[in-house]
Amino acid sequence: MNSNIKRLYATDPKAYWKLLNKKVDKKYDMPNLKDFENHFKQLNSGNKIHDGVEAKFMKSANVCPNADLNQPFSKDEIMNCITKLKNNKAAGEDHVINEFLKNTSDLFIDVYVKLFNIVLNTGIVPSEWLSGFIIPILI
Protein backbone atom coordinates (compact mmCIF):
# COMPACT_ATOMS: atom_id res chain seq x y z
CA MET A 1 0.00 0.00 0.00
CA ASN A 2 2.79 2.46 0.92
CA SER A 3 4.58 1.85 -2.36
CA ASN A 4 1.32 2.57 -4.23
CA ILE A 5 0.88 5.82 -2.34
CA LYS A 6 4.48 6.85 -3.03
CA ARG A 7 4.09 5.96 -6.71
CA LEU A 8 0.85 7.96 -6.95
CA TYR A 9 2.49 10.92 -5.24
CA ALA A 10 5.18 10.99 -7.92
CA THR A 11 3.09 10.10 -10.96
CA ASP A 12 -0.49 11.24 -10.34
CA PRO A 13 -0.86 13.85 -7.57
CA LYS A 14 -4.59 14.21 -8.16
CA ALA A 15 -5.20 10.50 -7.57
CA TYR A 16 -2.82 10.62 -4.59
CA TRP A 17 -4.88 13.31 -2.83
CA LYS A 18 -8.15 11.59 -3.77
CA LEU A 19 -6.91 8.41 -2.10
CA LEU A 20 -5.71 10.26 1.00
CA ASN A 21 -8.97 12.16 1.35
CA LYS A 22 -10.90 8.88 1.31
CA LYS A 23 -8.78 7.64 4.24
CA VAL A 24 -9.46 10.70 6.37
CA ASP A 25 -12.52 10.54 8.58
CA LYS A 26 -14.09 13.93 8.04
CA LYS A 27 -16.74 13.41 10.70
CA TYR A 28 -15.74 14.87 14.00
CA ASP A 29 -17.53 16.67 16.79
CA MET A 30 -16.94 20.35 17.17
CA PRO A 31 -15.71 21.16 20.67
CA ASN A 32 -18.05 23.03 22.93
CA LEU A 33 -16.99 26.69 22.74
CA LYS A 34 -17.13 27.07 26.50
CA ASP A 35 -14.83 24.05 26.95
CA PHE A 36 -12.51 25.47 24.31
CA GLU A 37 -12.42 28.83 26.09
CA ASN A 38 -11.82 27.22 29.48
CA HIS A 39 -9.02 25.07 28.08
CA PHE A 40 -7.07 28.08 26.86
CA LYS A 41 -7.82 30.11 29.96
CA GLN A 42 -6.33 27.30 32.01
CA LEU A 43 -3.26 27.15 29.76
CA ASN A 44 -2.69 30.88 30.14
CA SER A 45 -3.49 31.20 33.82
CA GLY A 46 -0.20 32.15 35.38
CA ASN A 47 2.79 29.94 35.96
CA LYS A 48 1.04 26.57 36.20
CA ILE A 49 3.24 23.94 34.67
CA HIS A 50 1.30 20.80 33.82
CA ASP A 51 2.07 17.65 35.77
CA GLY A 52 4.82 19.42 37.68
CA VAL A 53 7.73 17.65 35.94
CA GLU A 54 9.20 20.81 34.48
CA ALA A 55 8.64 22.71 37.74
CA LYS A 56 10.49 20.04 39.74
CA PHE A 57 13.35 20.06 37.27
CA MET A 58 13.66 23.85 37.26
CA LYS A 59 13.53 23.95 41.07
CA SER A 60 16.22 21.31 41.41
CA ALA A 61 18.37 22.92 38.73
CA ASN A 62 17.82 26.37 40.26
CA VAL A 63 18.02 27.87 36.77
CA CYS A 64 15.84 30.39 35.01
CA PRO A 65 14.34 28.66 31.93
CA ASN A 66 15.06 31.70 29.75
CA ALA A 67 18.48 32.57 31.15
CA ASP A 68 20.18 32.38 27.76
CA LEU A 69 17.47 34.43 26.12
CA ASN A 70 17.48 37.11 28.80
CA GLN A 71 21.12 38.08 28.40
CA PRO A 72 21.72 41.75 27.57
CA PHE A 73 22.26 42.58 23.91
CA SER A 74 25.86 43.16 22.91
CA LYS A 75 27.31 45.56 20.35
CA ASP A 76 28.31 42.61 18.19
CA GLU A 77 24.78 41.19 18.16
CA ILE A 78 23.25 44.52 17.21
CA MET A 79 25.88 45.19 14.51
CA ASN A 80 25.38 41.70 13.09
CA CYS A 81 21.63 42.30 12.79
CA ILE A 82 22.08 45.76 11.30
CA THR A 83 24.42 44.48 8.60
CA LYS A 84 21.81 41.87 7.60
CA LEU A 85 19.10 44.51 7.01
CA LYS A 86 18.00 44.81 3.38
CA ASN A 87 18.21 48.12 1.53
CA ASN A 88 15.35 49.84 -0.30
CA LYS A 89 12.65 48.71 2.12
CA ALA A 90 9.83 50.98 3.24
CA ALA A 91 9.98 52.65 6.63
CA GLY A 92 7.47 51.76 9.28
CA GLU A 93 5.37 54.05 11.43
CA ASP A 94 8.58 55.20 13.14
CA HIS A 95 9.86 56.50 9.74
CA VAL A 96 13.25 54.84 10.24
CA ILE A 97 14.64 53.19 7.12
CA ASN A 98 17.22 50.42 7.13
CA GLU A 99 19.78 52.56 5.32
CA PHE A 100 19.70 55.05 8.21
CA LEU A 101 20.44 52.31 10.71
CA LYS A 102 23.23 50.95 8.53
CA ASN A 103 24.85 54.33 7.88
CA THR A 104 24.69 55.49 11.50
CA SER A 105 25.55 52.21 13.20
CA ASP A 106 29.12 53.22 14.06
CA LEU A 107 27.97 56.51 15.55
CA PHE A 108 24.85 55.30 17.36
CA ILE A 109 25.71 51.70 18.28
CA ASP A 110 25.80 52.57 22.00
CA VAL A 111 22.36 54.17 21.72
CA TYR A 112 20.97 51.13 19.88
CA VAL A 113 22.40 48.73 22.46
CA LYS A 114 21.00 50.78 25.34
CA LEU A 115 17.59 51.06 23.63
CA PHE A 116 17.24 47.32 22.98
CA ASN A 117 18.42 46.47 26.49
CA ILE A 118 15.84 48.86 27.99
CA VAL A 119 13.14 47.12 25.95
CA LEU A 120 14.44 43.71 27.07
CA ASN A 121 14.61 44.68 30.75
CA THR A 122 11.30 46.54 31.00
CA GLY A 123 9.24 44.56 28.51
CA ILE A 124 7.93 47.84 27.12
CA VAL A 125 8.06 47.95 23.34
CA PRO A 126 7.40 51.23 21.52
CA SER A 127 3.96 51.03 19.95
CA GLU A 128 5.39 52.16 16.60
CA TRP A 129 7.37 48.91 16.47
CA LEU A 130 4.20 46.85 16.75
CA SER A 131 2.33 48.12 13.71
CA GLY A 132 2.95 48.27 10.01
CA PHE A 133 1.37 49.52 6.84
CA ILE A 134 -0.03 47.13 4.29
CA ILE A 135 -0.75 48.83 1.01
CA PRO A 136 -2.28 46.74 -1.76
CA ILE A 137 -0.67 47.11 -5.16
CA LEU A 138 -3.39 47.38 -7.75
CA ILE A 139 -2.51 46.58 -11.31
PDB file of all heavy atoms in Angstrom, residues 68-102:
ATOM      1  N   ASP A  68      19.398  32.061  28.961  1.00  0.00           N
ATOM      2  CA  ASP A  68      20.180  32.376  27.764  1.00  0.00           C
ATOM      3  C   ASP A  68      19.511  33.458  26.929  1.00  0.00           C
ATOM      4  O   ASP A  68      20.181  34.272  26.297  1.00  0.00           O
ATOM      5  CB  ASP A  68      20.390  31.129  26.905  1.00  0.00           C
ATOM      6  CG  ASP A  68      21.307  30.118  27.576  1.00  0.00           C
ATOM      7  OD1 ASP A  68      22.113  30.537  28.438  1.00  0.00           O
ATOM      8  OD2 ASP A  68      21.224  28.928  27.246  1.00  0.00           O
ATOM      9  N   LEU A  69      18.193  33.449  26.916  1.00  0.00           N
ATOM     10  CA  LEU A  69      17.468  34.434  26.121  1.00  0.00           C
ATOM     11  C   LEU A  69      17.444  35.809  26.775  1.00  0.00           C
ATOM     12  O   LEU A  69      17.270  36.812  26.104  1.00  0.00           O
ATOM     13  CB  LEU A  69      16.023  33.969  25.893  1.00  0.00           C
ATOM     14  CG  LEU A  69      15.851  32.708  25.074  1.00  0.00           C
ATOM     15  CD1 LEU A  69      14.384  32.314  25.023  1.00  0.00           C
ATOM     16  CD2 LEU A  69      16.393  32.889  23.674  1.00  0.00           C
ATOM     17  N   ASN A  70      17.587  35.853  28.077  1.00  0.00           N
ATOM     18  CA  ASN A  70      17.476  37.109  28.805  1.00  0.00           C
ATOM     19  C   ASN A  70      18.808  37.814  29.027  1.00  0.00           C
ATOM     20  O   ASN A  70      18.899  38.701  29.861  1.00  0.00           O
ATOM     21  CB  ASN A  70      16.766  36.876  30.142  1.00  0.00           C
ATOM     22  CG  ASN A  70      15.319  36.509  29.950  1.00  0.00           C
ATOM     23  OD1 ASN A  70      14.709  36.889  28.962  1.00  0.00           O
ATOM     24  ND2 ASN A  70      14.767  35.776  30.878  1.00  0.00           N
ATOM     25  N   GLN A  71      19.817  37.412  28.306  1.00  0.00           N
ATOM     26  CA  GLN A  71      21.116  38.085  28.404  1.00  0.00           C
ATOM     27  C   GLN A  71      21.035  39.442  27.720  1.00  0.00           C
ATOM     28  O   GLN A  71      20.335  39.594  26.718  1.00  0.00           O
ATOM     29  CB  GLN A  71      22.200  37.243  27.733  1.00  0.00           C
ATOM     30  CG  GLN A  71      22.449  35.910  28.398  1.00  0.00           C
ATOM     31  CD  GLN A  71      22.920  36.064  29.824  1.00  0.00           C
ATOM     32  OE1 GLN A  71      23.798  36.855  30.124  1.00  0.00           O
ATOM     33  NE2 GLN A  71      22.301  35.321  30.726  1.00  0.00           N
ATOM     34  N   PRO A  72      21.734  40.439  28.222  1.00  0.00           N
ATOM     35  CA  PRO A  72      21.720  41.753  27.565  1.00  0.00           C
ATOM     36  C   PRO A  72      22.263  41.653  26.137  1.00  0.00           C
ATOM     37  O   PRO A  72      23.101  40.807  25.830  1.00  0.00           O
ATOM     38  CB  PRO A  72      22.653  42.602  28.430  1.00  0.00           C
ATOM     39  CG  PRO A  72      22.811  41.866  29.709  1.00  0.00           C
ATOM     40  CD  PRO A  72      22.560  40.417  29.424  1.00  0.00           C
ATOM     41  N   PHE A  73      21.756  42.515  25.275  1.00  0.00           N
ATOM     42  CA  PHE A  73      22.257  42.583  23.909  1.00  0.00           C
ATOM     43  C   PHE A  73      23.671  43.146  23.910  1.00  0.00           C
ATOM     44  O   PHE A  73      23.993  44.023  24.705  1.00  0.00           O
ATOM     45  CB  PHE A  73      21.370  43.486  23.046  1.00  0.00           C
ATOM     46  CG  PHE A  73      20.022  42.906  22.766  1.00  0.00           C
ATOM     47  CD1 PHE A  73      18.906  43.348  23.460  1.00  0.00           C
ATOM     48  CD2 PHE A  73      19.859  41.926  21.804  1.00  0.00           C
ATOM     49  CE1 PHE A  73      17.652  42.814  23.201  1.00  0.00           C
ATOM     50  CE2 PHE A  73      18.619  41.387  21.532  1.00  0.00           C
ATOM     51  CZ  PHE A  73      17.509  41.834  22.234  1.00  0.00           C
ATOM     52  N   SER A  74      24.491  42.651  23.022  1.00  0.00           N
ATOM     53  CA  SER A  74      25.856  43.158  22.907  1.00  0.00           C
ATOM     54  C   SER A  74      25.981  43.992  21.637  1.00  0.00           C
ATOM     55  O   SER A  74      25.136  43.917  20.739  1.00  0.00           O
ATOM     56  CB  SER A  74      26.849  41.993  22.847  1.00  0.00           C
ATOM     57  OG  SER A  74      26.681  41.282  21.631  1.00  0.00           O
ATOM     58  N   LYS A  75      27.055  44.771  21.559  1.00  0.00           N
ATOM     59  CA  LYS A  75      27.308  45.556  20.349  1.00  0.00           C
ATOM     60  C   LYS A  75      27.439  44.653  19.131  1.00  0.00           C
ATOM     61  O   LYS A  75      26.922  44.968  18.058  1.00  0.00           O
ATOM     62  CB  LYS A  75      28.591  46.384  20.509  1.00  0.00           C
ATOM     63  CG  LYS A  75      28.456  47.561  21.412  1.00  0.00           C
ATOM     64  CD  LYS A  75      29.766  48.352  21.447  1.00  0.00           C
ATOM     65  CE  LYS A  75      29.650  49.528  22.382  1.00  0.00           C
ATOM     66  NZ  LYS A  75      30.871  50.331  22.425  1.00  0.00           N
ATOM     67  N   ASP A  76      28.115  43.531  19.312  1.00  0.00           N
ATOM     68  CA  ASP A  76      28.312  42.612  18.185  1.00  0.00           C
ATOM     69  C   ASP A  76      26.988  42.065  17.665  1.00  0.00           C
ATOM     70  O   ASP A  76      26.788  41.964  16.453  1.00  0.00           O
ATOM     71  CB  ASP A  76      29.228  41.449  18.597  1.00  0.00           C
ATOM     72  CG  ASP A  76      30.669  41.886  18.816  1.00  0.00           C
ATOM     73  OD1 ASP A  76      31.060  42.937  18.264  1.00  0.00           O
ATOM     74  OD2 ASP A  76      31.390  41.171  19.527  1.00  0.00           O
ATOM     75  N   GLU A  77      26.083  41.700  18.581  1.00  0.00           N
ATOM     76  CA  GLU A  77      24.778  41.190  18.159  1.00  0.00           C
ATOM     77  C   GLU A  77      24.012  42.231  17.359  1.00  0.00           C
ATOM     78  O   GLU A  77      23.448  41.934  16.306  1.00  0.00           O
ATOM     79  CB  GLU A  77      23.919  40.815  19.374  1.00  0.00           C
ATOM     80  CG  GLU A  77      24.191  39.468  19.961  1.00  0.00           C
ATOM     81  CD  GLU A  77      23.259  39.211  21.134  1.00  0.00           C
ATOM     82  OE1 GLU A  77      23.346  39.930  22.148  1.00  0.00           O
ATOM     83  OE2 GLU A  77      22.444  38.277  21.013  1.00  0.00           O
ATOM     84  N   ILE A  78      23.989  43.446  17.874  1.00  0.00           N
ATOM     85  CA  ILE A  78      23.248  44.523  17.205  1.00  0.00           C
ATOM     86  C   ILE A  78      23.873  44.813  15.841  1.00  0.00           C
ATOM     87  O   ILE A  78      23.162  44.936  14.831  1.00  0.00           O
ATOM     88  CB  ILE A  78      23.225  45.800  18.074  1.00  0.00           C
ATOM     89  CG1 ILE A  78      22.620  45.525  19.440  1.00  0.00           C
ATOM     90  CG2 ILE A  78      22.513  46.932  17.346  1.00  0.00           C
ATOM     91  CD1 ILE A  78      21.145  45.275  19.480  1.00  0.00           C
ATOM     92  N   MET A  79      25.202  44.909  15.782  1.00  0.00           N
ATOM     93  CA  MET A  79      25.878  45.190  14.507  1.00  0.00           C
ATOM     94  C   MET A  79      25.620  44.069  13.501  1.00  0.00           C
ATOM     95  O   MET A  79      25.400  44.329  12.317  1.00  0.00           O
ATOM     96  CB  MET A  79      27.383  45.371  14.718  1.00  0.00           C
ATOM     97  CG  MET A  79      27.748  46.681  15.377  1.00  0.00           C
ATOM     98  SD  MET A  79      27.243  48.141  14.444  1.00  0.00           S
ATOM     99  CE  MET A  79      28.402  48.088  13.095  1.00  0.00           C
ATOM    100  N   ASN A  80      25.641  42.835  13.966  1.00  0.00           N
ATOM    101  CA  ASN A  80      25.375  41.699  13.088  1.00  0.00           C
ATOM    102  C   ASN A  80      23.976  41.803  12.476  1.00  0.00           C
ATOM    103  O   ASN A  80      23.792  41.574  11.276  1.00  0.00           O
ATOM    104  CB  ASN A  80      25.535  40.396  13.871  1.00  0.00           C
ATOM    105  CG  ASN A  80      25.441  39.177  12.997  1.00  0.00           C
ATOM    106  OD1 ASN A  80      25.784  39.205  11.818  1.00  0.00           O
ATOM    107  ND2 ASN A  80      24.971  38.096  13.560  1.00  0.00           N
ATOM    108  N   CYS A  81      23.000  42.160  13.291  1.00  0.00           N
ATOM    109  CA  CYS A  81      21.626  42.302  12.793  1.00  0.00           C
ATOM    110  C   CYS A  81      21.498  43.487  11.838  1.00  0.00           C
ATOM    111  O   CYS A  81      20.812  43.396  10.819  1.00  0.00           O
ATOM    112  CB  CYS A  81      20.654  42.469  13.955  1.00  0.00           C
ATOM    113  SG  CYS A  81      20.462  40.957  14.917  1.00  0.00           S
ATOM    114  N   ILE A  82      22.158  44.579  12.157  1.00  0.00           N
ATOM    115  CA  ILE A  82      22.079  45.765  11.300  1.00  0.00           C
ATOM    116  C   ILE A  82      22.678  45.477   9.929  1.00  0.00           C
ATOM    117  O   ILE A  82      22.123  45.868   8.902  1.00  0.00           O
ATOM    118  CB  ILE A  82      22.770  46.982  11.969  1.00  0.00           C
ATOM    119  CG1 ILE A  82      21.920  47.470  13.146  1.00  0.00           C
ATOM    120  CG2 ILE A  82      23.001  48.105  10.974  1.00  0.00           C
ATOM    121  CD1 ILE A  82      22.568  48.557  13.974  1.00  0.00           C
ATOM    122  N   THR A  83      23.794  44.768   9.896  1.00  0.00           N
ATOM    123  CA  THR A  83      24.422  44.479   8.599  1.00  0.00           C
ATOM    124  C   THR A  83      23.557  43.557   7.735  1.00  0.00           C
ATOM    125  O   THR A  83      23.683  43.569   6.514  1.00  0.00           O
ATOM    126  CB  THR A  83      25.821  43.857   8.759  1.00  0.00           C
ATOM    127  OG1 THR A  83      25.712  42.680   9.550  1.00  0.00           O
ATOM    128  CG2 THR A  83      26.787  44.836   9.407  1.00  0.00           C
ATOM    129  N   LYS A  84      22.683  42.781   8.357  1.00  0.00           N
ATOM    130  CA  LYS A  84      21.808  41.874   7.603  1.00  0.00           C
ATOM    131  C   LYS A  84      20.539  42.548   7.081  1.00  0.00           C
ATOM    132  O   LYS A  84      19.787  41.950   6.320  1.00  0.00           O
ATOM    133  CB  LYS A  84      21.413  40.676   8.471  1.00  0.00           C
ATOM    134  CG  LYS A  84      22.573  39.736   8.754  1.00  0.00           C
ATOM    135  CD  LYS A  84      22.129  38.586   9.611  1.00  0.00           C
ATOM    136  CE  LYS A  84      23.283  37.655   9.914  1.00  0.00           C
ATOM    137  NZ  LYS A  84      22.889  36.546  10.789  1.00  0.00           N
ATOM    138  N   LEU A  85      20.293  43.802   7.480  1.00  0.00           N
ATOM    139  CA  LEU A  85      19.102  44.507   7.012  1.00  0.00           C
ATOM    140  C   LEU A  85      19.189  44.736   5.505  1.00  0.00           C
ATOM    141  O   LEU A  85      20.250  45.030   4.969  1.00  0.00           O
ATOM    142  CB  LEU A  85      18.958  45.857   7.719  1.00  0.00           C
ATOM    143  CG  LEU A  85      18.644  45.819   9.206  1.00  0.00           C
ATOM    144  CD1 LEU A  85      18.720  47.222   9.800  1.00  0.00           C
ATOM    145  CD2 LEU A  85      17.274  45.213   9.453  1.00  0.00           C
ATOM    146  N   LYS A  86      18.046  44.609   4.828  1.00  0.00           N
ATOM    147  CA  LYS A  86      18.001  44.812   3.378  1.00  0.00           C
ATOM    148  C   LYS A  86      17.787  46.287   3.065  1.00  0.00           C
ATOM    149  O   LYS A  86      17.084  46.989   3.791  1.00  0.00           O
ATOM    150  CB  LYS A  86      16.878  43.980   2.766  1.00  0.00           C
ATOM    151  CG  LYS A  86      17.089  42.493   2.910  1.00  0.00           C
ATOM    152  CD  LYS A  86      15.944  41.721   2.304  1.00  0.00           C
ATOM    153  CE  LYS A  86      16.174  40.222   2.466  1.00  0.00           C
ATOM    154  NZ  LYS A  86      15.065  39.438   1.927  1.00  0.00           N
ATOM    155  N   ASN A  87      18.384  46.738   1.994  1.00  0.00           N
ATOM    156  CA  ASN A  87      18.211  48.118   1.528  1.00  0.00           C
ATOM    157  C   ASN A  87      16.912  48.252   0.738  1.00  0.00           C
ATOM    158  O   ASN A  87      16.326  47.266   0.302  1.00  0.00           O
ATOM    159  CB  ASN A  87      19.383  48.543   0.652  1.00  0.00           C
ATOM    160  CG  ASN A  87      20.659  48.689   1.435  1.00  0.00           C
ATOM    161  OD1 ASN A  87      20.648  48.980   2.627  1.00  0.00           O
ATOM    162  ND2 ASN A  87      21.781  48.474   0.775  1.00  0.00           N
ATOM    163  N   ASN A  88      16.506  49.492   0.535  1.00  0.00           N
ATOM    164  CA  ASN A  88      15.349  49.837  -0.296  1.00  0.00           C
ATOM    165  C   ASN A  88      14.046  49.237   0.215  1.00  0.00           C
ATOM    166  O   ASN A  88      13.196  48.820  -0.570  1.00  0.00           O
ATOM    167  CB  ASN A  88      15.585  49.430  -1.755  1.00  0.00           C
ATOM    168  CG  ASN A  88      16.820  50.093  -2.333  1.00  0.00           C
ATOM    169  OD1 ASN A  88      17.033  51.283  -2.138  1.00  0.00           O
ATOM    170  ND2 ASN A  88      17.639  49.320  -3.009  1.00  0.00           N
ATOM    171  N   LYS A  89      13.894  49.172   1.519  1.00  0.00           N
ATOM    172  CA  LYS A  89      12.653  48.712   2.123  1.00  0.00           C
ATOM    173  C   LYS A  89      11.934  49.919   2.720  1.00  0.00           C
ATOM    174  O   LYS A  89      12.559  50.872   3.179  1.00  0.00           O
ATOM    175  CB  LYS A  89      12.913  47.664   3.222  1.00  0.00           C
ATOM    176  CG  LYS A  89      13.565  46.399   2.701  1.00  0.00           C
ATOM    177  CD  LYS A  89      12.623  45.695   1.760  1.00  0.00           C
ATOM    178  CE  LYS A  89      13.264  44.473   1.145  1.00  0.00           C
ATOM    179  NZ  LYS A  89      12.398  43.843   0.167  1.00  0.00           N
ATOM    180  N   ALA A  90      10.622  49.866   2.729  1.00  0.00           N
ATOM    181  CA  ALA A  90       9.829  50.977   3.238  1.00  0.00           C
ATOM    182  C   ALA A  90      10.006  51.124   4.750  1.00  0.00           C
ATOM    183  O   ALA A  90      10.197  50.147   5.464  1.00  0.00           O
ATOM    184  CB  ALA A  90       8.356  50.749   2.910  1.00  0.00           C
ATOM    185  N   ALA A  91       9.915  52.366   5.200  1.00  0.00           N
ATOM    186  CA  ALA A  91       9.979  52.646   6.632  1.00  0.00           C
ATOM    187  C   ALA A  91       8.647  52.296   7.267  1.00  0.00           C
ATOM    188  O   ALA A  91       7.602  52.284   6.611  1.00  0.00           O
ATOM    189  CB  ALA A  91      10.293  54.118   6.857  1.00  0.00           C
ATOM    190  N   GLY A  92       8.691  52.032   8.539  1.00  0.00           N
ATOM    191  CA  GLY A  92       7.467  51.761   9.281  1.00  0.00           C
ATOM    192  C   GLY A  92       6.893  53.050   9.827  1.00  0.00           C
ATOM    193  O   GLY A  92       7.242  54.161   9.393  1.00  0.00           O
ATOM    194  N   GLU A  93       6.024  52.889  10.811  1.00  0.00           N
ATOM    195  CA  GLU A  93       5.371  54.047  11.427  1.00  0.00           C
ATOM    196  C   GLU A  93       6.379  54.953  12.121  1.00  0.00           C
ATOM    197  O   GLU A  93       6.142  56.140  12.316  1.00  0.00           O
ATOM    198  CB  GLU A  93       4.333  53.542  12.438  1.00  0.00           C
ATOM    199  CG  GLU A  93       3.218  54.506  12.683  1.00  0.00           C
ATOM    200  CD  GLU A  93       2.131  53.900  13.538  1.00  0.00           C
ATOM    201  OE1 GLU A  93       1.565  52.859  13.156  1.00  0.00           O
ATOM    202  OE2 GLU A  93       1.840  54.481  14.598  1.00  0.00           O
ATOM    203  N   ASP A  94       7.545  54.409  12.486  1.00  0.00           N
ATOM    204  CA  ASP A  94       8.584  55.204  13.138  1.00  0.00           C
ATOM    205  C   ASP A  94       9.409  56.011  12.134  1.00  0.00           C
ATOM    206  O   ASP A  94      10.249  56.819  12.512  1.00  0.00           O
ATOM    207  CB  ASP A  94       9.498  54.322  13.984  1.00  0.00           C
ATOM    208  CG  ASP A  94      10.186  53.221  13.179  1.00  0.00           C
ATOM    209  OD1 ASP A  94      10.058  53.185  11.941  1.00  0.00           O
ATOM    210  OD2 ASP A  94      10.849  52.378  13.810  1.00  0.00           O
ATOM    211  N   HIS A  95       9.195  55.787  10.841  1.00  0.00           N
ATOM    212  CA  HIS A  95       9.863  56.500   9.739  1.00  0.00           C
ATOM    213  C   HIS A  95      11.368  56.258   9.687  1.00  0.00           C
ATOM    214  O   HIS A  95      12.112  57.057   9.116  1.00  0.00           O
ATOM    215  CB  HIS A  95       9.581  58.009   9.797  1.00  0.00           C
ATOM    216  CG  HIS A  95       8.125  58.331   9.756  1.00  0.00           C
ATOM    217  ND1 HIS A  95       7.364  58.183   8.631  1.00  0.00           N
ATOM    218  CD2 HIS A  95       7.282  58.757  10.732  1.00  0.00           C
ATOM    219  CE1 HIS A  95       6.119  58.515   8.884  1.00  0.00           C
ATOM    220  NE2 HIS A  95       6.033  58.857  10.164  1.00  0.00           N
ATOM    221  N   VAL A  96      11.824  55.178  10.272  1.00  0.00           N
ATOM    222  CA  VAL A  96      13.249  54.841  10.238  1.00  0.00           C
ATOM    223  C   VAL A  96      13.467  53.805   9.136  1.00  0.00           C
ATOM    224  O   VAL A  96      12.864  52.743   9.145  1.00  0.00           O
ATOM    225  CB  VAL A  96      13.726  54.271  11.596  1.00  0.00           C
ATOM    226  CG1 VAL A  96      15.187  53.853  11.520  1.00  0.00           C
ATOM    227  CG2 VAL A  96      13.516  55.289  12.697  1.00  0.00           C
ATOM    228  N   ILE A  97      14.350  54.129   8.196  1.00  0.00           N
ATOM    229  CA  ILE A  97      14.642  53.190   7.117  1.00  0.00           C
ATOM    230  C   ILE A  97      15.927  52.430   7.439  1.00  0.00           C
ATOM    231  O   ILE A  97      16.769  52.892   8.212  1.00  0.00           O
ATOM    232  CB  ILE A  97      14.741  53.896   5.745  1.00  0.00           C
ATOM    233  CG1 ILE A  97      15.821  54.972   5.760  1.00  0.00           C
ATOM    234  CG2 ILE A  97      13.403  54.475   5.326  1.00  0.00           C
ATOM    235  CD1 ILE A  97      16.092  55.591   4.395  1.00  0.00           C
ATOM    236  N   ASN A  98      16.061  51.269   6.854  1.00  0.00           N
ATOM    237  CA  ASN A  98      17.219  50.418   7.126  1.00  0.00           C
ATOM    238  C   ASN A  98      18.537  51.098   6.788  1.00  0.00           C
ATOM    239  O   ASN A  98      19.536  50.919   7.480  1.00  0.00           O
ATOM    240  CB  ASN A  98      17.096  49.104   6.359  1.00  0.00           C
ATOM    241  CG  ASN A  98      15.960  48.254   6.869  1.00  0.00           C
ATOM    242  OD1 ASN A  98      15.425  48.485   7.949  1.00  0.00           O
ATOM    243  ND2 ASN A  98      15.580  47.254   6.091  1.00  0.00           N
ATOM    244  N   GLU A  99      18.549  51.882   5.712  1.00  0.00           N
ATOM    245  CA  GLU A  99      19.784  52.563   5.316  1.00  0.00           C
ATOM    246  C   GLU A  99      20.257  53.522   6.407  1.00  0.00           C
ATOM    247  O   GLU A  99      21.459  53.686   6.615  1.00  0.00           O
ATOM    248  CB  GLU A  99      19.586  53.330   3.999  1.00  0.00           C
ATOM    249  CG  GLU A  99      19.468  52.436   2.787  1.00  0.00           C
ATOM    250  CD  GLU A  99      18.051  51.931   2.525  1.00  0.00           C
ATOM    251  OE1 GLU A  99      17.179  52.018   3.428  1.00  0.00           O
ATOM    252  OE2 GLU A  99      17.818  51.420   1.419  1.00  0.00           O
ATOM    253  N   PHE A 100      19.323  54.150   7.113  1.00  0.00           N
ATOM    254  CA  PHE A 100      19.695  55.046   8.211  1.00  0.00           C
ATOM    255  C   PHE A 100      20.403  54.258   9.302  1.00  0.00           C
ATOM    256  O   PHE A 100      21.458  54.671   9.798  1.00  0.00           O
ATOM    257  CB  PHE A 100      18.464  55.757   8.780  1.00  0.00           C
ATOM    258  CG  PHE A 100      18.772  56.597   9.981  1.00  0.00           C
ATOM    259  CD1 PHE A 100      19.314  57.866   9.839  1.00  0.00           C
ATOM    260  CD2 PHE A 100      18.552  56.117  11.266  1.00  0.00           C
ATOM    261  CE1 PHE A 100      19.631  58.648  10.942  1.00  0.00           C
ATOM    262  CE2 PHE A 100      18.859  56.881  12.378  1.00  0.00           C
ATOM    263  CZ  PHE A 100      19.395  58.153  12.216  1.00  0.00           C
ATOM    264  N   LEU A 101      19.822  53.127   9.672  1.00  0.00           N
ATOM    265  CA  LEU A 101      20.442  52.307  10.709  1.00  0.00           C
ATOM    266  C   LEU A 101      21.826  51.836  10.283  1.00  0.00           C
ATOM    267  O   LEU A 101      22.772  51.844  11.081  1.00  0.00           O
ATOM    268  CB  LEU A 101      19.554  51.104  11.035  1.00  0.00           C
ATOM    269  CG  LEU A 101      18.205  51.423  11.674  1.00  0.00           C
ATOM    270  CD1 LEU A 101      17.346  50.174  11.764  1.00  0.00           C
ATOM    271  CD2 LEU A 101      18.389  52.049  13.042  1.00  0.00           C
ATOM    272  N   LYS A 102      21.949  51.437   9.021  1.00  0.00           N
ATOM    273  CA  LYS A 102      23.234  50.949   8.531  1.00  0.00           C
ATOM    274  C   LYS A 102      24.287  52.061   8.500  1.00  0.00           C
ATOM    275  O   LYS A 102      25.440  51.850   8.888  1.00  0.00           O
ATOM    276  CB  LYS A 102      23.078  50.371   7.123  1.00  0.00           C
ATOM    277  CG  LYS A 102      22.389  49.029   7.100  1.00  0.00           C
ATOM    278  CD  LYS A 102      22.245  48.561   5.674  1.00  0.00           C
ATOM    279  CE  LYS A 102      22.243  47.066   5.611  1.00  0.00           C
ATOM    280  NZ  LYS A 102      22.252  46.573   4.236  1.00  0.00           N
TER     281      LYS A 102
END
